[in-house]
Amino acid sequence: MTKLNIPVAASPAAVFAHRHLLGIEGLLPEEILVLLDLAEEAVEVSRQVEKKKSVLRGRTQINLFFEASTRTQSSFELAGKRLGADVMNMSVGSSSVKKGETLIDTAMTLNAMNPDILVVRHHAAGAVQLLAQKVGCSVINAGDGAHEHPTQALLDALTIRRHKGDIGQLKVAICGDILHSRVARSNILLLNALGAQVRCIGPSTLLPKALDRLGVTIFTDMREGLKDVDIVMMLRLQRERMDGSFVPSVREYFHFFGLDAEKLAFAKPDALVMHPGPMNRGVEIDSAIADGPQSLIREQVEMGVAVRMAVLEALAQNLPNA
Amino acid sequence: MDRLAEPARPLVLENARIVDPAQKLDARGSVIVVDGRIVAAGPGAAAQSKPEGAEIVDCRGAVVMPGLIDMRVFVGEPGGEHRETFASAGQAAAAGGVTTIVTMPDTDPVIDDVALVDFIARRARDTAKVRVLPMAALTKGLEGREMTEFGLLKGAGAVGFTDGRHSITNALVLRRALTYARDFGALIMHHPADPDLTGSGVMNEGETATRLGLSGIPKEAEIIMLERDVRLAALTRGRYHAAQISCAESLAVIRRAKKDGLAVSCGVSVTHLTLNERDIGPYRTFFRLSPPLRSEDDRQAMMEGVADGSIDVIVSSHDPQDVDTKRHPFAEAADGAVGLETLLAASLRLVHNGDADLLALARALSTRPAELLGLDTGRLTAGAPADLIVVDIGMPWICDADRLHSRSKNTPFEGARFEGRVLRTIVAGRTVYAYAGD
């Protein structure tokens, strides 16, 4: 990789003075850069044979997933373990909800086990914030409804920065099911904070109301929207979250919004393609593109672990008795 | 409120600012009450001789106005007594200056039968401090299909017919109900919200919902159904009342209907006059309402509607919810907020901010509801039942949820600063609440 001119946090020791990471909203650009710099170090650690650091030694991290997720949960688990934490995974299906326990009851139960860090995914927007108000430990949002997924946006930013340098100089297109996507919201906030030009492309039925007020340019034509962009972020068509019909068929969706070579050709020749996974191949992305030379999709997974290590480390500095 | 009790002692409220929309009166004077009825009210009453043995109250310039008549109150009895009973709702109402509450039929069981209307009347008489008037279900079981026995229910004491928080999607059902109700002069009250357009929405559709990642409810869910309802009111010439409107476009629909001479009226909740969607802030479920809080422009429109009388009544939409329905993520929490005790104080913000005068407010809170429901209260004219309140409209206080009389504490006004406190609430000449300091 060529040496790039990458803006970094003014002072590497700059403090990340938050107790929780609930979203990208509320983070200063400076704080985002602190996390990205920490993540760069974590990438190095993770590529060594000895992958361990000890900043979380003796600490307990609970991964509380109300919604199943293999990749995010294992990414957080690995990140915690690499930093020396004792990591426990709890998958709270709908069963305890059916038994009548509220989210807050669950939170209080867990709180009694004295964890230091709670990583939470929940299907309802705002649920992680609600939980954070009720527990005594640090809370990381691993995705709440259609609200935010901050570590995904951070790992996307890290991946982009390692290839393209200053994010503020880039045109980024976020494509597909914006309506149901917390990844899109966190990315819009983060990319805007760092000064990128953000576009959203999708059928009007999958674009939330007043999206333009979030500081993005909206396109409903993929070719037009991809023109001259540096980064193409594809989103998963979240068919499981849809009540009713938003697009008539997968076939029609792929025809107009699936990323294939022909559409990608409208972006810059060196444009890079990303996807938060899991992918619906042949729905929003053609396999040839997903596995092709412009794809960063596998690298995103590696950066995911690094970014989560960075977030855990940053929050660890603010834990009591740290 | 037990009307079989002994007659109350005569009462004279003097040195008061008398506000009575029925007489377009806002002047210094007295009110004389004998045998639970108003004998005289106004500047002239001060010169009249005081009845023998009367309790004399020096109001020291405080406002005396008709007691509030709240046309949209969810109680919880029967079936949800852990949320609210007639007794606790009655205490909250008395403390808030509400002398009549109109209850919604969305209970368990649903109030769709003569025996149940009778149950409410007796139960409320025995336990509530204020008057409780039930509205009965418009359709059996609130299912939106078969209409209830309007004639018999009205005879038993139902003051109107509504499916409460449910909307009638079948236009034919509403058409028939409006037509049949006309024969009995019955009022049909409807909550216009298209359930399909509402979908999985939990707050107003727009930028705030998009930022919060919550699914939105478009205003059109209300507007479209209201437009349909107004067409049906024109077709049937029935008496139609929209329980609550929440946006500027709905107000335009109502204004047009009134201009066309239809028997159409509407209400607004005090929350939609004083709060907007941004107050939801960090997913605060006590601000989750139906209809949802709308934009600031819509709130402004609602205030104009009250000021010029296009909006007939202000309601609390009192809807007690306890922790097991509110302490959830926003999208999974129940709708509704308590409001009986804050109805007047929150409404007075319109007066203090110069958005409406006290006469317009008293009309929307009392006189107009009485007219729509065919009651002889809501006015201070001689002969009317002495349902009235004494209010220090300038007294500041801070709302503390724990001190509310309601059994449920889900108020969106926790910590809010109000000006205006009820000093005394009088029902049928009897004092049911007297302010005793904080």
Side-chain angles (χ1 to χ4, degrees):
Chain A
M1 224 190 322
T2 51
K3 193 74 188 157
L4 295 162
N5 177 26
I6 298 174
V8 294
S11 139
V15 211
F16 181 83
H18 296 273
R19 188 169 148 220
H20 309 298
L21 179 70
L22 301 177
I24 298 298
E25 191 174 22
L27 295 187
L28 301 168
E30 181 78 352
E31 292 170 328
I32 293 168
L33 295 176
V34 167
L35 292 176
L36 296 184
D37 294 350
L38 269 172
E40 290 285 0
E41 289 171 28
V43 174
E44 298 311 314
V45 172
S46 296
R47 285 180 177 176
Q48 290 163 12
V49 180
E50 166 72 53
K51 298 181 172 62
K52 281 267 192 182
K53 283 182 83 177
S54 60
V55 291
L56 288 182
R57 193 164 57 201
R59 300 290 191 182
T60 304
Q61 172 189 334
I62 299 181
N63 295 336
L64 177 61
F65 279 60
F66 291 88
E67 205 179 60
S69 152
T70 318
R71 74 174 59 208
T72 307
Q73 183 165 326
S74 48
S75 183
F76 269 109
E77 182 178 356
L78 210 51
K81 285 180 170 165
R82 284 185 183 166
L83 295 177
D86 295 318
V87 184
M88 185 179 94
N89 288 318
M90 277 189 71
S91 294
V92 192
S94 48
S95 65
S96 61
V97 178
K98 283 196 189 104
K99 285 177 202 153
E101 189 172 77
T102 67
L103 175 64
I104 290 169
D105 293 333
T106 309
M108 297 324 286
T109 307
L110 282 175
N111 202 39
M113 300 179 192
N114 296 318
D116 298 288
I117 295 175
L118 209 51
V119 178
V120 186
R121 166 166 293 190
H122 196 279
H123 48 83
V128 181
Q129 198 167 332
L130 177 66
L131 211 137
Q133 291 163 9
K134 307 289 173 186
V135 295
C137 61
S138 284
V139 175
I140 299 173
N141 183 359
D144 64 324
H147 179 224
E148 282 230 48
H149 190 358
T151 55
Q152 179 69 44
L154 287 164
L155 79 87
D156 288 342
L158 180 66
T159 313
I160 296 170
R161 194 173 78 163
R162 287 169 64 92
H163 286 270
K164 295 282 185 187
D166 185 0
I167 290 173
Q169 305 299 315
L170 303 176
K171 289 192 181 77
V172 182
I174 303 175
C175 314
D177 184 0
I178 314 276
L179 182 67
H180 299 95
S181 178
R182 51 193 171 218
V183 174
R185 281 173 183 74
S186 285
N187 264 313
I188 289 167
L189 291 165
L190 188 149
L191 293 167
N192 271 325
L194 296 186
Q197 286 183 45
V198 187
R199 302 174 179 186
C200 286
I201 312 172
S204 293
T205 45
L206 291 176
L207 300 173
K209 202 85 183 262
L211 180 62
D212 55 319
R213 302 284 290 273
L214 272 58
V216 301
T217 316
I218 294 170
F219 295 88
T220 52
D221 181 301
M222 193 87 168
R223 292 170 184 82
E224 215 181 295
L226 288 182
K227 200 167 182 310
D228 295 330
V229 303
D230 300 280
I231 301 289
V232 185
M233 284 185 174
M234 299 308 298
L235 297 172
R236 196 165 60 85
L237 189 66
Q238 299 197 43
R239 283 175 289 183
E240 72 281 6
R241 284 189 212 277
M242 296 184 177
D243 57 341
S245 172
F246 288 80
V247 289
S249 71
V250 163
R251 184 172 75 169
E252 175 149 324
Y253 185 76
F254 183 76
H255 181 79
F256 290 100
F257 296 98
L259 187 66
D260 55 16
E262 188 265 329
K263 294 189 194 92
L264 182 56
F266 284 84
K268 281 189 185 158
D270 62 346
L272 296 170
V273 176
M274 305 174 78
H275 192 298
M279 282 182 279
N280 298 306
R281 289 171 184 264
V283 178
E284 70 260 353
I285 191 162
D286 190 31
S287 269
I289 301 297
D291 305 326
Q294 287 170 276
S295 170
L296 294 176
I297 297 171
R298 259 186 294 276
E299 189 176 329
Q300 283 175 274
V301 179
E302 184 192 357
M303 294 307 125
V305 179
V307 149
R308 283 156 190 143
M309 286 170 73
V311 169
L312 288 167
E313 195 174 340
L315 293 179
Q317 290 164 3
N318 302 327
L319 287 174
N321 312 319
Chain B
M1 193 207 60
D2 192 352
R3 287 169 215 179
L4 300 174
E6 286 176 30
R9 192 178 156 200
L11 178 69
V12 178
L13 303 170
E14 35 175 49
N15 196 16
R17 176 181 167 192
I18 313 285
V19 175
D20 181 20
Q23 305 173 63
K24 292 196 170 59
L25 178 71
D26 183 352
R28 280 268 172 166
S30 297
V31 180
I32 301 172
V33 174
V34 176
D35 290 340
R37 288 188 180 267
I38 292 165
V39 171
Q48 290 190 22
S49 62
K50 292 170 185 133
E52 203 177 315
E55 179 189 359
I56 314 287
V57 178
D58 179 1
C59 296
R60 297 180 193 177
V63 166
V64 172
M65 58 187 267
L68 276 47
I69 299 170
D70 189 344
M71 276 180 72
R72 188 170 159 89
V73 178
F74 298 90
V75 173
E77 193 172 350
E81 287 83 355
H82 64 293
R83 293 198 302 272
E84 193 88 287
T85 59
F86 290 118
S88 62
Q91 284 175 346
V98 177
T99 51
T100 298
I101 61 181
V102 177
T103 57
M104 297 296 101
D106 314 37
T107 47
D108 183 15
V110 168
I111 309 304
D112 59 1
D113 186 88
V114 171
L116 292 162
V117 169
D118 195 48
F119 163 80
I120 290 183
R122 279 185 292 112
R123 184 83 186 133
R125 184 193 61 208
D126 293 345
T127 61
K129 285 181 158 187
V130 303
R131 294 183 206 264
V132 175
L133 302 175
M135 274 207 189
L138 181 68
T139 64
K140 288 175 187 157
L142 307 176
E143 285 172 354
R145 289 199 290 269
E146 289 173 70
M147 69 176 121
T148 55
E149 298 160 316
F150 293 172
L152 294 174
L153 289 163
K154 189 164 189 259
V159 291
F161 298 89
T162 180
D163 272 3
R165 45 171 85 81
H166 299 262
S167 301
I168 310 282
T169 50
N170 185 328
L172 178 60
V173 170
L174 190 62
R175 178 194 177 170
R176 292 240 173 88
L178 282 163
T179 307
Y180 187 72
R182 204 182 51 192
D183 296 348
F184 297 95
L187 182 70
I188 299 294
M189 182 165 101
H190 190 222
H191 174 60
D194 183 304
D196 292 318
L197 272 175
T198 300
S200 58
V202 296
M203 70 170 289
N204 187 37
E205 186 172 273
E207 183 186 348
T208 310
T210 294
R211 283 186 187 279
L212 291 171
L214 294 172
S215 45
I217 304 171
K219 295 193 279 191
E220 286 70 15
E222 173 178 304
I223 302 161
I224 290 172
M225 200 168 249
L226 186 64
E227 282 179 330
R228 179 203 73 172
D229 290 0
V230 167
R231 294 269 172 201
L232 292 174
L235 175 67
T236 61
R237 294 280 147 184
R239 290 178 62 213
Y240 172 85
H241 179 79
Q244 274 182 256
I245 62 168
S246 65
C247 61
E249 292 86 344
S250 292
L251 179 60
V253 174
I254 294 288
R255 281 182 173 145
R256 207 177 319 124
K258 289 187 168 182
K259 205 168 141 241
D260 293 346
L262 302 179
V264 166
S265 55
C266 75
V268 67
S269 97
V270 69
T271 47
H272 290 85
L273 291 170
T274 52
L275 304 170
N276 67 35
E277 59 183 342
R278 285 172 180 259
D279 290 303
I280 289 168
Y283 301 97
R284 294 193 288 180
T285 57
F286 289 2
F287 293 76
R288 184 178 161 165
L289 307 172
S290 174
L293 292 171
R294 302 284 186 190
S295 70
E296 175 59 15
D297 287 348
D298 290 316
R299 186 185 76 86
Q300 299 276 350
M302 294 300 98
M303 290 198 300
E304 281 167 31
V306 168
D308 70 13
S310 316
I311 293 178
D312 297 81
V313 308
I314 303 173
V315 295
S316 69
S317 237
H318 181 82
D319 193 352
Q321 298 287 340
D322 66 3
V323 288
D324 60 70
T325 52
K326 277 294 188 183
R327 284 176 67 189
H328 285 295
F330 196 88
E332 294 168 2
D335 292 320
V338 292
L340 278 168
E341 218 163 329
T342 47
L343 173 59
L344 179 64
S347 298
L348 278 169
R349 284 186 177 171
L350 272 66
V351 172
H352 296 308
N353 295 336
D355 294 308
D357 61 34
L358 198 51
L359 270 172
L361 205 66
R363 185 184 62 206
L365 287 166
S366 186
T367 312
R368 192 68 186 128
E371 287 169 7
L372 290 171
L373 297 167
L375 309 177
D376 54 359
T377 51
R379 69 210 65 203
L380 301 180
T381 44
D387 285 15
L388 43 88
I389 54 176
V390 183
V391 189
D392 179 345
I393 62 165
M395 188 192 286
W397 61 289
I398 295 172
C399 179
D400 175 357
D402 291 336
R403 300 185 65 177
L404 294 177
H405 292 76
S406 189
R407 197 167 272 195
S408 296
K409 311 296 180 191
N410 54 308
T411 173
F413 293 113
E414 167 70 355
R417 287 164 192 281
F418 289 128
E419 277 175 72
R421 191 115 221 205
V422 175
L423 300 179
R424 193 185 273 253
T425 302
I426 296 157
V427 177
R430 212 177 293 275
T431 297
V432 296
Y433 170 83
Y435 174 71
D438 281 313

